[in-house]
Amino acid sequence: MAITKPDESWWKTATIYQIYPKSFCDSGSKGMGDLKGITSKLGYIKLLGVDAIWLTPVYQSPMVDNGYDISDYFEINPEFGTMKDFDVLLSEAHQLGIRIIMDIVVNHTSTQHKWFQSALGDKNSPYRDYYIWKDPVEGAEPNNWNSKFGSSAWALDEGTGQYYLHLFAKEQADLNWENPSVREEVKDVIHFWAKKGVDGFRLDVINLISKQQEFLNDENGDGRRFYTDGPRVHEYLQEISESVFQKYGSVTVGEMSSTTLEHCQQYSAQDGKELSMVFNFHHLKVDYLNGDKWTKTPFDFIQLKQIFNHWQTGLNGKGWGALFWCNHDQPRVVSRLGNDKQYRIESAKMLAASIHMMQGTPYVYQGEELGMTNPHYTDIRQYRDVESTNMYQIMVNRRGIAHQDMMAILAQKSRDNSRTPMQWNSTKNAGFTKGTPWLDLAQNYPEINAEAAIADLNSVFYFYKHLIELRKQVSVITDGRYEDLFPEHKRIFAYARQNDKQVLLCINNYYGDEAKCTLPDRFDMSKARKLLSNYQSETCEVGGQNQVLRPYETRIFLIESD
Ligand code: GLC
């Protein structure tokens, strides 16, 4: 099927597959993935049944943050291939009916970008005002804001004595969106890719683009309250949307850092004035001790359910959310909330079901459909991620945390946990590359890999495929309202989705022991049909009002009114 005419809301029944090109498939022996590698795997992606690919950045970049530091928005990073390779990928994907969503990083550019290079050290450069510069205060940084990757958010420009703002690495300088020329440049970038025929955009940390202009010291925090969901962010998004997204009918998903429901209702309001949908991360902070990521602690199950309830009920009829556990910044969910040893397959499926049956658009991150795990690195030299290596220095060298404790924290929290190469088969390096991989693989690839999964009808892969199909077949998954049935239950996460004609029940045991619940009588289980579960044996037939779930069991039922 070729894509001929854009349908405005195709993404409401769609599932999107995220590719992190560096770790996906190397067509040669460089040790890192590339565009040709992705094109060679389109058949696999098609088999999974997804509708679109979100490609994380492939533009020219010094790769300090693996492409989230862009030095030229109009060129492909030669390490990934050429513009021709990109065009081939786009056209072959379209021929298979798979859309392509590009990652747009416009909160900041690389300090290697020609705008920054011109601005650095020269107050008279026409590009100086493309970035955010401030004079020192009492000989030091202009304020106490911290970068998201640790340490001050300001770096000194020795040539002028001023500091520039970088909310991420010091090689990622924040753009000054107050400057209308910056907004025009951003529109040009998006226009270029939309004109090429890409179908949509994922907008990196887009709710950080508007900073409060006073740049005040934050007496109670790291500064984020002065730039998160900032004063002009909605205005800016409306401007970009009107000039480009609406013209091309692009699907858009905004990555929202530390955001609120109220702002997300507006970002993704169904009037189409800003974005199609939003990512928020609150459900992935339930294993942060007192809000601090760099801690090791079990996840808070009750809080997880509360957060889902807040967002599912709050966005219903008002906005639209992305549904996800995994991406290139998050550890593997089966290692995080499941059991990646004894119950790896059961828990991977249960976690998949429990998020795919919610309202929104699911995102599957490469390898998640195989139940890929964290690699459990034991040597600090195995880590490559700029955030992880920065935090190691800060925690061990400055804060005096013991090396072993920090290794345990990284093994749970590092972004490299999800960036290990995709496991294609059981041959050397999992078939990812003929060379030396840029990042060590998880050593379980002889068992966990795509080839083995495709050969086994009970694999995690086919379970995802089934979930993706169900979303297209059962309308209540798209339009039903959400109700958490047992918010206080210590082991079971069960929710109902309901519209006028259908009730869908998704019942999940999040733990490794048997768990029980009694469904309310208003759900007539004598009429229920089991759509999917993760145990083969007959004992999990519909089961009536009293449900007894085995370790990490999931059951999905549909009740239809006559
Ligand atoms: C987003 C990206 C992350 C990147 C950061 C800065 O959070 O997902 O990988 O480091 O933005 O661009």
Side-chain angles (χ1 to χ4, degrees):
M1 180 208 58
I3 294 165
T4 44
K5 68 174 180 9
D7 165 1
E8 275 189 349
S9 53
W10 61 268
W11 38 271
K12 290 200 171 173
T13 53
T15 301
I16 297 175
Y17 189 76
Q18 184 194 348
I19 292 185
Y20 196 64
K22 194 169 180 180
S23 300
F24 193 63
C25 179
D26 180 4
S27 67
S29 53
K30 296 178 302 300
M32 61 178 268
D34 52 26
L35 292 170
K36 279 190 178 145
I38 299 172
T39 305
S40 74
K41 297 295 183 185
L42 286 173
Y44 169 82
I45 295 165
K46 181 71 187 168
L47 180 64
L48 185 59
V50 297
D51 303 82
I53 291 170
W54 151 27
L55 203 59
T56 68
V58 288
Y59 317 96
Q60 209 158 75
S61 159
M63 300 292 272
V64 170
D65 191 17
N66 286 347
Y68 284 93
D69 47 324
I70 298 174
S71 53
D72 189 334
Y73 291 95
F74 302 101
E75 293 289 345
I76 297 289
N77 182 345
E79 292 184 326
F80 288 135
T82 61
M83 192 59 90
K84 174 137 185 298
D85 295 335
F86 178 82
D87 293 338
V88 170
L89 169 61
L90 184 64
S91 108
E92 293 205 8
H94 280 176
Q95 273 166 35
L96 290 170
I98 300 171
R99 292 170 158 98
I100 300 281
I101 294 173
M102 298 297 277
D103 210 319
I104 297 286
V105 188
V106 285
N107 174 67
H108 44 265
T109 72
S110 163
T111 49
Q112 295 301 313
H113 195 286
K114 64 181 184 207
W115 302 332
F116 190 85
Q117 285 297 307
S118 159
L120 188 68
D122 180 3
K123 283 189 172 172
N124 297 319
S125 157
Y127 294 106
R128 183 79 176 175
D129 198 33
Y130 273 38
Y131 297 91
I132 299 167
W133 308 90
K134 294 286 163 221
D135 290 326
V137 172
E138 293 169 11
E141 285 82 4
N143 64 30
N144 67 348
W145 295 5
N146 261 329
S147 132
K148 304 269 180 195
F149 294 161
S151 303
S152 172
W154 299 94
L156 184 63
D157 171 11
E158 284 175 2
T160 63
Q162 287 191 311
Y163 285 84
Y164 65 88
L165 181 70
H166 62 91
L167 294 182
F168 294 87
K170 66 178 189 320
E171 296 85 356
Q172 294 165 299
D174 278 54
L175 284 165
N176 175 20
W177 277 67
E178 296 284 318
N179 179 349
S181 307
V182 166
R183 305 203 294 275
E184 289 311 313
E185 301 271 13
V186 167
K187 288 178 209 165
D188 280 354
V189 168
I190 302 173
H191 183 83
F192 172 84
W193 292 97
K195 208 164 144 224
K196 240 181 190 305
V198 311
D199 306 280
F201 301 95
R202 178 261 187 192
L203 299 149
D204 189 63
V205 290
I206 200 67
N207 67 326
L208 309 185
I209 56 178
S210 165
K211 280 84 175 166
Q212 284 187 23
Q213 292 300 296
E214 296 79 10
F215 293 90
L216 298 175
N217 239 15
D218 191 351
E219 304 305 338
N220 321 304
D222 64 0
R224 68 182 66 190
R225 65 197 171 100
F226 295 121
Y227 56 75
T228 303
D229 301 316
R232 297 181 68 187
V233 64
H234 293 287
E235 172 198 329
Y236 293 156
L237 284 176
Q238 285 165 22
E239 183 181 328
I240 305 288
S241 171
E242 198 183 336
S243 325
V244 215
F245 303 148
Q246 292 173 37
K247 277 201 187 123
Y248 287 91
S250 318
V251 65
T252 51
V253 53
E255 186 200 25
M256 304 301 174
S257 166
S258 305
T259 188
T260 63
L261 175 62
E262 292 66 32
H263 277 287
C264 286
Q265 287 168 338
Q266 199 178 336
Y267 293 131
S268 64
Q270 302 299 288
D271 61 9
K273 288 203 171 130
E274 295 186 19
L275 303 173
S276 315
M277 61 184 130
V278 284
F279 287 111
N280 87 79
F281 296 89
H282 294 284
H283 64 295
L284 296 174
K285 295 185 179 169
V286 293
D287 57 1
Y288 290 11
L289 188 62
N290 303 322
D292 182 358
K293 170 170 174 175
W294 300 102
T295 51
K296 189 170 182 302
T297 185
F299 72 100
D300 184 333
F301 181 53
I302 302 294
Q303 194 192 18
L304 181 72
K305 293 193 280 188
Q306 284 165 353
I307 293 169
F308 279 133
N309 190 51
H310 180 69
W311 286 85
Q312 284 287 302
T313 55
L315 282 182
N316 181 255
K318 299 214 165 99
W320 198 257
L323 303 171
F324 70 106
W325 289 124
C326 298
N327 68 26
H328 62 291
D329 297 328
Q330 301 292 332
R332 292 287 179 183
V333 69
V334 69
S335 302
R336 189 176 193 177
L337 306 183
N339 176 328
D340 67 5
K341 295 185 181 67
Q342 192 185 352
Y343 294 113
R344 185 185 67 84
I345 293 177
E346 290 82 356
S347 62
K349 291 178 179 176
M350 182 282 291
L351 289 161
S354 63
I355 199 144
H356 276 244
M357 292 299 105
M358 291 185 190
Q359 184 170 55
T361 300
Y363 285 69
V364 178
Y365 174 67
Q366 63 186 47
E368 179 185 340
E369 75 282 9
L370 306 175
M372 268 177 65
T373 68
N374 289 349
H376 305 291
Y377 290 154
T378 51
D379 187 333
I380 186 64
R381 288 168 301 187
Q382 292 178 286
Y383 289 98
R384 299 278 176 278
D385 167 34
V386 57
E387 181 191 40
S388 305
T389 51
N390 274 0
M391 287 315 295
Y392 180 88
Q393 293 302 332
I394 292 171
M395 303 274 288
V396 174
N397 299 344
R398 281 197 235 151
R399 293 192 202 153
I401 304 280
H403 165 80
Q404 278 317 326
D405 293 343
M406 190 57 192
M407 288 302 292
I409 293 173
L410 286 172
Q412 194 187 58
K413 297 286 170 58
S414 168
R415 305 195 298 177
D416 280 339
N417 284 310
S418 58
R419 297 177 179 183
T420 60
M422 177 74 176
Q423 296 168 197
W424 292 107
N425 57 43
S426 59
T427 65
K428 188 159 182 247
N429 296 325
F432 162 69
T433 179
K434 296 189 201 75
T436 307
W438 72 278
L439 182 67
D440 284 353
L441 286 120
Q443 287 310 303
N444 51 25
Y445 69 83
E447 178 204 343
I448 305 169
N449 62 67
E451 198 176 279
I454 290 170
D456 172 8
L457 285 177
N458 290 321
S459 65
V460 178
F461 179 90
Y462 288 108
F463 194 86
Y464 269 85
K465 185 172 169 62
H466 212 130
L467 290 170
I468 293 165
E469 284 163 5
L470 277 181
R471 174 164 295 271
K472 299 210 184 302
Q473 293 157 355
V474 182
S475 60
V476 71
I477 301 172
T478 306
D479 62 20
R481 60 186 187 278
Y482 175 94
E483 183 191 354
D484 184 348
L485 300 179
F486 309 109
E488 301 300 328
H489 200 298
K490 299 264 185 311
R491 294 201 181 132
I492 291 181
F493 177 20
Y495 58 86
R497 304 284 316 283
Q498 295 178 72
N499 61 20
D500 293 345
K501 296 198 181 67
Q502 298 174 316
V503 177
L504 180 128
L505 299 171
C506 181
I507 309 173
N508 307 287
N509 179 2
Y510 266 62
Y511 291 90
D513 309 300
E514 193 176 274
K516 297 179 184 162
C517 64
T518 304
L519 297 169
D521 287 337
R522 67 196 148 93
F523 302 121
D524 182 353
M525 292 306 283
S526 68
K527 293 204 181 123
R529 182 158 61 93
K530 193 179 77 187
L531 296 183
L532 198 59
S533 73
N534 59 347
Y535 275 78
Q536 297 305 309
S537 66
E538 296 304 306
T539 51
C540 85
E541 277 320 305
V542 176
Q545 303 308 123
N546 293 321
Q547 296 281 319
V548 182
L549 279 87
R550 287 160 287 186
Y552 296 101
E553 185 161 358
T554 180
R555 299 175 182 178
I556 304 170
F557 298 114
L558 185 67
I559 307 173
E560 287 180 284
S561 47
D562 321 305

